[in-house]
Amino acid sequence: MNQNNRFLKFTIGDDDKKIVRKFLVQRKFSSSQLHNLKNKGGQIFVNHKQRHFNYPLKKGDQILIVLNTEEPSDLIEPMPGKVDVVFEDDYLLVVNKPPGIASLPAKAKDSKTMANVVKSYLIDKKENSSIHLVTRLDRNTSGLMVFAKTSYAHSLLDRILHTEDFKKFYLAMVYGQVSPEKGLIDLPIGIDPKAFYMRNIDHDLGKPSQTLYETVEKFDDASLLKLKLLTGRTHQIRVHLTAIGHPIIGDDMYSKKIDPRMDRQALHCYCLEIVHPVTKKLLKLTAPLPKDMVMLKSVLRGEKNG
C-alpha cells in the first residue's frame, strides 16, 4: 500500500525552533492539523524514538512525522473515469481536465465531476482519497487542475496560490483584435445582481481582480491571447475580457451570442509554474491545446488567409 504521502521528514537546522510543537508551527502546520496529529492517530519520531509536542530538539535531529489517516468525505462518491495525469508525487496531483465536466459536485450528487473521478483514481492506487482541490476550472474551461494529496500539502499550496510561486497561464480565443496588444486588466469583480451565477465589473462592491494579457496571434476578426491570473475570482478571465470588449469565442453566457464554431468558451489553462512547497523544485507543467480549440484556430487562420 502506497502511504508515502503520510510521512514527512525534516532535519533540524540552526534557525529552526527547538521544541517540536513550535517547529511544526514554523513549518506551517495549522492548529487543526496539530490537533489531528495529536488526537487522531498521528505520530512524531525524533531520531527514531516516538516523542510528544513538548520534546526539546537540537541541531541535526531527524524528525519523522506520520500524519493521521484522513477520513474521506461521503459527499464525493468515487466514479470511474479517465484521469489525464500531468504530474504526480506524494504531495500533489496535477491533471488535464477536459471541457464539459465540472471541478466539484454541486448539491446534486449524481453528476460526474473531476473530484469524483480523481477520488476513484486515488482509491485504485490505495492512496488517501480525501479530495483537496487547490485550483478549480469552470465546467467548460479545459486544462490544468491541481489537487493536494493531504491537508498539510493543501495548506502549503494555499499559502502560495496567488503569489509568484504559483503562476497560472491560460490561452483564450477572443472576438476582435485587442488594443493595446498586451496589458493589465485591473477591474473589480462582483456578483451580478441579475443572476447570482454570473459575475460583473462592480466598482462599489467588487473584489480587486487583475489579469495580464498578451496577444499571441491575430486573425481577421479574432485574437489568440495568453493570460496570466494575478488573482483568482470566479469567471475572472471571462468577465475581464468581456469588459474590455473582447469576449471569449463560444462563451454565450458573457458574449450573449451562440457561435457555431465553438460549443464552449475557448479557454484553456495550458501552463502552471509552481515552486513545489515541499521539495522547492520549480515545476513547469503544460497541457496541449485541446482538439476543439486547435480546430477553431485553423478555422480562424483560414478566414485570415481567405
Side-chain angles (χ1 to χ4, degrees):
M1 182 162 171
N2 178 354
Q3 293 213 314
N4 293 350
N5 56 7
R6 288 188 55 215
F7 297 96
L8 296 166
K9 292 178 182 174
F10 304 101
T11 302
I12 301 300
D14 280 334
D15 298 331
D16 289 321
K17 303 280 187 193
K18 298 300 191 286
I19 301 289
V20 168
R21 176 192 283 278
K22 289 181 176 173
F23 171 77
L24 293 176
V25 170
Q26 187 182 8
R27 290 299 166 122
K28 313 291 190 234
F29 274 74
S30 66
S31 52
S32 67
Q33 284 156 1
L34 292 171
H35 173 84
N36 291 345
L37 191 57
K38 185 175 181 181
N39 301 306
K40 296 197 174 173
Q43 294 170 296
I44 299 161
F45 293 89
V46 181
N47 303 330
H48 310 294
K49 290 196 175 123
Q50 193 162 356
R51 301 296 187 189
H52 295 293
F53 277 162
N54 57 359
Y55 185 76
L57 299 165
K58 58 188 185 301
K59 185 183 173 184
D61 279 350
Q62 303 285 323
I63 293 196
L64 171 67
I65 307 295
V66 184
L67 299 172
N68 56 291
T69 307
E70 293 181 37
E71 292 302 316
S73 159
D74 292 335
L75 295 173
I76 296 173
E77 293 175 26
M79 297 185 188
K82 184 174 182 295
V83 178
D84 181 0
V85 176
V86 177
F87 175 84
E88 181 174 14
D89 68 2
D90 293 334
Y91 306 99
L92 59 148
L93 171 69
V94 182
V95 301
N96 182 14
K97 181 182 100 60
I101 181 169
S103 295
L104 270 177
K107 292 190 174 59
K109 286 162 69 172
D110 52 356
S111 66
K112 186 183 284 193
T113 72
M114 286 309 296
N116 302 101
V117 176
V118 165
K119 185 168 185 174
S120 174
Y121 170 82
L122 292 171
I123 288 172
D124 288 346
K125 292 189 73 189
K126 308 268 193 297
E127 290 203 33
N128 170 22
S129 61
S130 291
I131 293 298
H132 297 282
L133 192 71
V134 180
T135 64
R136 68 179 67 197
L137 296 173
D138 296 342
R139 177 186 292 274
N140 286 324
T141 301
S142 55
L144 297 169
M145 259 183 83
V146 181
F147 291 86
K149 289 194 173 183
T150 62
S151 71
Y152 178 62
H154 192 183
S155 63
L156 292 181
L157 286 160
D158 262 352
R159 285 170 187 274
I160 62 168
L161 195 49
H162 301 300
T163 72
E164 284 297 287
D165 284 350
F166 199 121
K167 299 177 188 169
K168 293 192 280 185
F169 299 96
Y170 290 73
L171 290 169
M173 291 170 197
V174 303
Y175 293 105
Q177 294 186 354
V178 187
S179 177
E181 288 188 7
K182 63 180 184 178
L184 171 69
I185 307 168
D186 186 355
L187 294 167
I189 293 176
I191 294 172
D192 190 324
K194 296 190 281 296
F196 71 92
Y197 54 86
M198 289 181 70
R199 300 292 182 269
N200 65 1
I201 303 302
D202 185 335
H203 290 283
D204 297 325
L205 301 172
K207 292 181 174 170
S209 311
Q210 290 94 23
T211 308
L212 282 166
Y213 74 90
E214 183 181 329
T215 303
V216 178
E217 189 172 348
K218 287 188 200 175
F219 311 102
D220 269 356
D221 194 23
S223 307
L224 173 62
L225 301 182
K226 175 174 140 181
L227 303 127
K228 180 185 175 190
L229 280 181
L230 301 184
T231 51
R233 310 292 174 215
T234 300
H235 298 181
Q236 177 173 321
I237 291 173
R238 298 164 66 188
V239 172
H240 270 174
L241 291 175
T242 303
I244 63 166
H246 299 280
I248 299 173
I249 296 172
D251 188 0
D252 54 356
M253 183 187 283
Y254 288 103
S255 70
K256 303 286 190 261
K257 56 184 169 189
I258 303 290
D259 195 311
R261 300 170 298 181
M262 195 74 187
D263 62 0
R264 66 167 181 113
Q265 65 260 14
L267 181 61
H268 177 69
C269 179
Y270 80 99
C271 179
L272 294 173
E273 291 183 10
I274 304 169
V275 176
H276 193 297
V278 179
T279 68
K280 302 302 181 195
K281 286 183 181 154
L282 176 63
L283 304 176
K284 281 194 79 165
L285 309 173
T286 56
L289 212 55
K291 282 188 190 129
D292 57 355
M293 285 180 69
V294 171
M295 287 174 67
L296 176 61
K297 188 159 73 164
S298 64
V299 168
L300 296 171
R301 277 180 177 158
E303 292 172 1
K304 182 181 177 186
N305 297 335

